[in-house]
Each structure stands twice: as C-alpha cells, then as structure tokens.
Amino acid sequence: MFSPFSAPSGSAAKNLTRLSVVGGIAATALLLLAGPASAHVSVQPQGEAAKGGYATINFKVPNERDDASTVKVEVNFPTDHPLASVSPQAVPGWKIDVTKSKLAKPLEMHGNTITEAVSKVTWTAAGSKIAPGYFQQFPLSVGQLPEDADQLVFKAIQTYDNKEVVRWIEEPKEGAAEPENPAPVLKLSAAGDDEHGGAADKHAAEPAAAQVGAKAADTATGTASADSSDTTARVLGIVGIVVGVAGVAYGVLAGRRRTTA
C-alpha cells in the first residue's frame, strides 16, 4: 500500500520532476509577461540632440491604466538650462498651451538678448484621448540646446479622466536603481563643427517636426496594435503552459491512485 511518507516510485519521481520543471517554466513566463507591463513618459530626439544646436524631440506618453484614459499631459522645462525657442507640432484632438516665464538671467542668442523662456507645455484632450493599451507622441522643435550640459531633465505630469494624476518627476541617478516615477531625460550628444553645434538648424528642425506630427497618429496606432498583439500572444502562450502543468499534475495524481489501488 502507498504511504504518504514513503519515497515515490521511479515513475512517480520522474513525473514530480517533470511537474517541477514545467511549473518553473510557467512561473518564469509569468514574470516575463509582467516585466514590460510598466512604462513611463519618456523623451527622445528625432536624429540627434547636439549641444548648442536645435532638435526635434518627441515626448512619448503611454496609457498605463486599464480603466481610464489620459486626457492631459504637462511637461515642465528645466530652469537651470532654459530653452528660448520651443515650437510645438499640432496634434489632432489635442489643445496645446505654451507657458513662458521671465528669466532671472537673460540669455544671448544669435546676437539678441532673450529675457523669457518656455517653462511649460501642456497638451489637453479636445476630442481625443490616450485610451488603455495605446500611447501618443507629442513633438516639439526646441533650441538652442545648452553647450555645458550632457542631458536635460523634464518633469511631466499625466492626468487621467478618472482624476488620477501621475507625477513623472523623479530624476534618475547614475548608478542607482530607476525610481518609481522617473522624469523624462533628454541625452545630448557632442557638438559638431557647424555654427549650430552639429545639430539641425532651427529652420531645418521645424519642417522635421511637421513631418513627425503628420505621422504621429499612425505611428501610435500601429505600434499600439503591435504591442497589443504581442501581449495577446504571450497571454495565450502562458495559458497553454498552465494547462500543460494541470495535465501533468492530473497524470501524476492518477498514477498514484492506480498504485494505491
């Protein structure tokens, strides 16, 4: 008769080992699925963002909630390295407000004295939202980028239609773990040889921004669809693994019942 305290037979031991391996695979797959679920507001240049030059940059805003849509995005500009020239690209279904503030210390740009700079850009939904499972890009043409900095930190605030507010304002520290709500960081490349530091000229950057804006909606929808399909495939794969685990477990239990009998 089978005793619960006796060592399992060779066949049962193999089944138990197989069950452990399959269970471990299932647990690993679940972790892999959960890993990419976390996303945050980020900023990336179109091409280069060279020191001393102009660039077109995109703020990428994913919707992280399953039951709410993003209806407002605020991006605060760094005060230690103010940007005097900021031109937003129109985004269909979104109202754009550009806020300027007086500078404590005026800037010299192309022979002109600049006494104010953009301190915040706000996008507010006006007929459109960022729905669950989607993201939206918000392009800007900016300059003149500082020559004495390696990066610019932008603090962003994301508002959902259920009144939830997420503050992406924590500055990442080199060598430290990523904070829970990291602020978008724009990395600056080395200046080039031309008069604008190797980056695109302001007049070249603005048409680039227009091209980015014209394709932003299609890019967002296409990428979101791809991400959704990828997630669906992973979920179906994990369901298959879990069903397999259940089948192996049932086989082991059935074998034990036959042995007992």
Side-chain angles (χ1 to χ4, degrees), residues 72 79 84 107 109 114 116 194 250 255:
K72 187 177 181 181
T79 56
L107 297 174
M109 183 179 293
I114 308 299
E116 63 179 14
D194 63 28
Y250 179 81

Side-chain angles (χ1 to χ4, degrees), residues 7 9 28 56 70 108 113 127 129 161 171 187 191 214 234 236:
S9 65
T28 301
T56 297
T70 298
E108 293 295 328
T113 300
K129 298 180 180 181
D161 56 8
E171 184 173 350
K187 301 291 185 180
R234 291 185 182 182
L236 292 175

Side-chain angles (χ1 to χ4, degrees), residues 139-151:
L140 297 172
S141 175
V142 299
Q144 185 172 353
L145 298 173
E147 298 178 352
D148 57 348
D150 295 322
Q151 64 181 31

Side-chain angles (χ1 to χ4, degrees), residues 18 61 79 163 167:
R18 187 181 305 167
V61 182
T79 56
K163 308 304 181 183
R167 302 179 184 277

Side-chain angles (χ1 to χ4, degrees), residues 78-94:
T79 56
D80 53 344
H81 295 290
L83 300 176
S85 175
V86 177
S87 301
Q89 169 64 44
V91 180
W94 293 82

Side-chain angles (χ1 to χ4, degrees), residues 87-171:
S87 301
Q89 169 64 44
V91 180
W94 293 82
K95 175 187 174 184
I96 306 174
D97 293 309
V98 179
T99 303
K100 293 185 177 182
S101 299
K102 292 288 184 181
L103 295 174
K105 182 180 179 181
L107 297 174
E108 293 295 328
M109 183 179 293
H110 305 306
N112 298 319
T113 300
I114 308 299
T115 60
E116 63 179 14
V118 172
S119 57
K120 181 172 67 174
V121 177
T122 304
W123 291 268
T124 305
S128 181
K129 298 180 180 181
I130 308 176
Y134 288 80
F135 73 86
Q136 177 66 56
Q137 294 192 85
F138 299 96
L140 297 172
S141 175
V142 299
Q144 185 172 353
L145 298 173
E147 298 178 352
D148 57 348
D150 295 322
Q151 64 181 31
L152 292 177
V153 179
F154 301 85
K155 296 184 177 182
I157 300 175
Q158 181 177 10
T159 303
Y160 290 88
D161 56 8
N162 63 357
K163 308 304 181 183
E164 179 186 3
V165 177
V166 181
R167 302 179 184 277
W168 304 99
I169 61 175
E170 299 177 62
E171 184 173 350

